[in-house]
Amino acid sequence: MGFYWVKTNSFIKKVFSKYCWDIPNNEKKIYLTFDDGPTPEITDWVLSELKKFDAKATFFCIGKNIKANLALFEKLITDGHSIGNHTMNHVNGWKIHTNDYIENVKNCAEVLDEQEKAPRRLLFRPPYGKIKKAQSKVLRKLGYKIVMWDVLSADFDQSITPEKCLENVTKNVKSGSVIVFHDSIKASPNLRFALPRTLHFLKENGYKFDIIH
């Protein structure tokens, strides 16, 4: 597993200040986000857990997964969650030409636009958090808000324990934190342990759940 920050370094936030890393507020609002879905069974389970705590979240969806799971995608919307673009095929911006990258994002946008119930929010999260300056510039000109994160659960990291995944969130969350989980098969073992306990911790400690606009 490559290097990653569980808590995003403040220097990085300053250098890349045009990206959304957190959403400061005085109301103890936090922003749960889920990447890579919708995924059968896993996304359904996530929605069920969120409902138990009356929690709303923002789902950054992959275009091909939306097309393959339209009913599940519609459930995200009817449950009142926010939707973001996560490219059509989960492409790494550092490994693809800018024109091809933008085309991939647009392909995902077309899939989103085909769903009548989908809210028109121009939210984008680059897969792996990897995006070139030129790619970012084009997307921001198109009106996209590029959403990164303040706290990474690292549920995707199969070398860490589920307990460590939970701790990554509970030890680093603060008012305004954008928190990342993954509704994916790979992350599922850590997610199934950490998410219910994270939701309970946040509720018990007076945090409020909000969506990204």
Side-chain angles (χ1 to χ4, degrees):
M1 185 57 60
F3 171 79
Y4 56 83
W5 272 303
V6 167
K7 180 74 171 178
T8 303
N9 186 286
S10 58
F11 176 74
I12 293 295
K13 292 180 182 180
K14 288 178 182 176
V15 172
F16 297 99
S17 60
K18 292 178 181 176
Y19 301 160
C20 173
W21 298 96
D22 49 26
I23 305 173
N25 64 84
N26 298 316
E27 304 169 66
K28 292 196 81 170
K29 288 182 181 179
I30 58 90
Y31 302 83
L32 293 174
T33 67
F34 295 86
D35 289 2
D36 298 353
T39 308
E41 295 183 13
I42 299 164
T43 304
D44 255 331
W45 176 82
V46 168
L47 291 175
S48 177
E49 291 300 309
L50 292 174
K51 192 167 285 187
K52 290 176 186 177
F53 290 86
D54 193 26
K56 301 303 181 189
T58 302
F59 287 80
F60 288 91
C61 298
I62 296 172
K64 68 174 184 178
N65 288 348
I66 296 171
K67 291 186 77 171
N69 305 285
L70 286 176
L72 186 52
F73 177 73
E74 286 183 5
K75 192 173 180 182
L76 291 175
I77 299 163
T78 55
D79 279 8
H81 301 290
S82 184
I83 306 296
N85 186 319
H86 201 45
T87 74
M88 189 69 186
N89 308 100
H90 203 260
V91 291
N92 184 332
W94 291 2
K95 296 181 178 180
I96 186 172
H97 189 277
T98 293
N99 290 343
D100 295 332
Y101 189 77
I102 301 304
E103 189 63 26
N104 201 279
V105 174
K106 287 181 175 179
N107 288 344
C108 181
E110 287 174 7
V111 173
L112 288 168
D113 288 342
E114 287 170 3
Q115 313 314 311
E116 292 182 6
K117 296 179 182 178
R120 299 297 189 268
R121 295 195 179 102
L122 291 176
L123 304 176
F124 177 74
R125 174 172 285 157
Y128 315 102
K130 294 179 177 179
I131 184 170
K132 295 174 185 174
K133 185 177 179 180
Q135 295 162 350
S136 163
K137 188 175 181 180
V138 173
L139 290 176
R140 285 185 288 108
K141 278 188 175 181
L142 291 172
Y144 281 94
K145 177 189 285 188
I146 298 176
V147 183
M148 295 299 202
W149 57 83
D150 175 52
V151 178
L152 192 65
S153 69
D155 51 358
F156 58 84
D157 188 345
Q158 296 171 317
S159 71
I160 69 170
T161 65
E163 290 81 5
K164 176 59 177 171
C165 179
L166 172 63
E167 184 182 287
N168 285 343
V169 180
T170 59
K171 291 287 179 69
N172 291 292
V173 67
K174 65 177 183 179
S175 180
S177 285
V178 173
I179 303 166
V180 180
F181 285 103
H182 293 78
D183 51 331
S184 67
I185 293 169
K186 182 180 180 181
S188 180
N190 283 336
L191 179 69
R192 289 182 183 273
F193 178 89
L195 181 59
R197 291 164 177 81
T198 294
L199 290 166
H200 178 77
F201 171 87
L202 293 170
K203 200 83 169 181
E204 285 289 298
N205 285 275
Y207 287 99
K208 301 171 185 176
F209 306 99
D210 204 355
I211 60 175
I212 301 173
H213 297 277

